[in-house]
Amino acid sequence: MAGRRDGLLTRPGGSPSRGSRIAMAVAVGILLGCVCAFLYPDGLFRSFSTSPYHVQGKSEKCETAERTNTLKSELASLSQKNEELKKQVMELISKLKLAEQGKDQAQKQFLALGQQHKAGAFGTVKSLRTNPAVIPDESVNPRLAKMLEKVAVRKELIVALANSNVKDMLELWFQNIKRVGIPNYLVVALDDGIERYCNASGVPVYRRNSEEGIDRIGRDGSNHAVSGLKFHILREFLQLGYSVLLSDVDIIYLQNPFDHLYRDSDIESMSDGHSNMTAYGYDDVSDDPPMGWARYAHTMRIWVYNSGFFYIRPTIPSIELLDRVADRMARQPDSWDQAVFNEELFYPSHPGYEGLHASKRTMDIYLFMNSKVLFKTVRKDAHLRRLKPVIVHVNYHPEKFERMKAVVDFYVNGKQDALDPFPDGSRS
């Protein structure tokens, strides 16, 4: 069979016949046609056209132009939205900074601790007492910031407000500060006369930029009105990151107070109390006989903090306290700043009112002494007379300047009878 098939397709000399070559060519053509039909179903020459746009002509060019214009319009719209988003982002960043400083106390405590802790054994657990300081913001008052860099020591200083009405007491005030050797103090001058006087006396002085309401009170206001200003003015000191020992000018300095501070609370204040009970608190039992069996009710009592001498740290609760007092003093100009100061500091949260969450410490009444303690108790006790207080604040008596000079004579000049001429209370 094989020999026969070969015989039909080849000549006697072994070369293929003409008919065989034609048959092979036809078969190859058919095969190529099938392949092209499979690979190029739309036609071989159509697939090699340069661009579909050439086929579609002018209508496609118009659509392209319209599409380009649409894209340009969308790009312009996106650019505008991008600018708006940038502004919103900047506003959010600004709000975020404020929010960081305005987080509640629990969050601040958590951040200060760094991590959560399990409660320890009985008797070993103590809560956080020292709130973290705010982030200093020099943009609040660049001029004051530069001055505080020169005056403050370890980011703290004594600050007193004064106008020309208290010039004599102010002089005695800073003379004793200089004598003790306290370098970090500053007078906030409330009028031009005090500013000139402090500059001439070599006393660090700061005069705020003019504000109509503050200038008027500073020049002409009563002692209570001027005292209320400090809560408004002190805010900038705290925002700049400085702790302030706020001082009235009716105070005699006998030691450096910064050597006797604990710095473990938002507010560390001297007391108007005249004994351990009144200054540090006690259980006062109220008697209401008609109640019969329940006639006795226990109350907790403490004498108020003195708003003329307190140490305040730059924390969120401290700034909130200043804001609350300044706001109430602005809305209730006849209020006494010391009463408002204590109400905001001590009143607890209750229905309709959210209390201030600030930590506080009462200063030692025999180191930070008010004039009631001095004239009613200390001067009459042989043992207590030998103690040397840090400061004496003549807050209970109207004849302030005379008593201030007597305090200097007694504690500085050694005149043992210097306090004797004065009554326990006021002369009238």
Side-chain angles (χ1 to χ4, degrees), residues 192-240:
D192 295 334
I194 288 297
E195 183 181 17
R196 289 192 298 267
Y197 177 67
C198 288
N199 284 326
S201 304
V203 173
V205 62
Y206 168 69
R207 183 75 190 277
R208 287 173 51 87
N209 293 330
S210 180
E211 291 185 38
E212 183 177 352
I214 290 180
D215 287 350
R216 176 178 52 78
I217 296 174
R219 289 191 310 268
D220 310 320
S222 64
N223 288 340
H224 283 311
V226 171
S227 185
L229 279 180
K230 60 196 171 197
F231 299 99
H232 178 80
I233 294 175
L234 285 183
R235 192 184 206 277
E236 291 183 348
F237 288 79
L238 270 59
Q239 285 181 279
L240 292 172

Side-chain angles (χ1 to χ4, degrees), residues 10 21 52 60 83-84 118 169 181 229 233 238 322 326 337 359 382 385 417:
T10 59
R21 289 196 299 271
E60 186 65 27
E83 292 299 322
E84 293 176 355
K118 292 182 179 179
M169 286 192 294
L229 279 180
I233 294 175
L238 270 59
L322 297 180
D337 69 283
S359 57
R385 284 170 65 94
D417 60 349

Side-chain angles (χ1 to χ4, degrees), residues 70-83:
T70 301
L71 290 173
K72 288 181 179 179
S73 177
E74 290 177 353
L75 181 61
S77 177
L78 288 172
S79 298
Q80 183 177 358
K81 290 180 179 179
N82 187 45
E83 292 299 322

Side-chain angles (χ1 to χ4, degrees), residues 231-286:
F231 299 99
H232 178 80
I233 294 175
L234 285 183
R235 192 184 206 277
E236 291 183 348
F237 288 79
L238 270 59
Q239 285 181 279
L240 292 172
Y242 289 85
S243 297
V244 174
L245 184 58
L246 189 280
S247 173
D248 282 352
V249 296
D250 56 346
I251 292 175
I252 296 297
Y253 286 79
L254 302 168
Q255 299 184 60
N256 190 329
F258 295 108
D259 295 336
H260 300 272
L261 297 175
Y262 286 80
R263 300 174 179 86
D264 64 347
S265 304
D266 297 307
I267 307 294
E268 195 167 343
S269 178
M270 74 172 297
S271 172
D272 271 3
H274 60 93
S275 64
N276 288 347
M277 286 180 57
T278 57
Y280 310 138
Y282 63 101
D283 179 12
D284 184 33
V285 180
S286 175

Side-chain angles (χ1 to χ4, degrees), residues 20 34 94 109 111 125 186 245 301 334 354 415:
S20 299
C34 292
S94 177
Q109 291 179 345
L111 293 175
V125 178
L186 179 70
L245 184 58
R301 298 283 300 276
D334 294 332
E354 183 179 353
K415 296 182 179 179

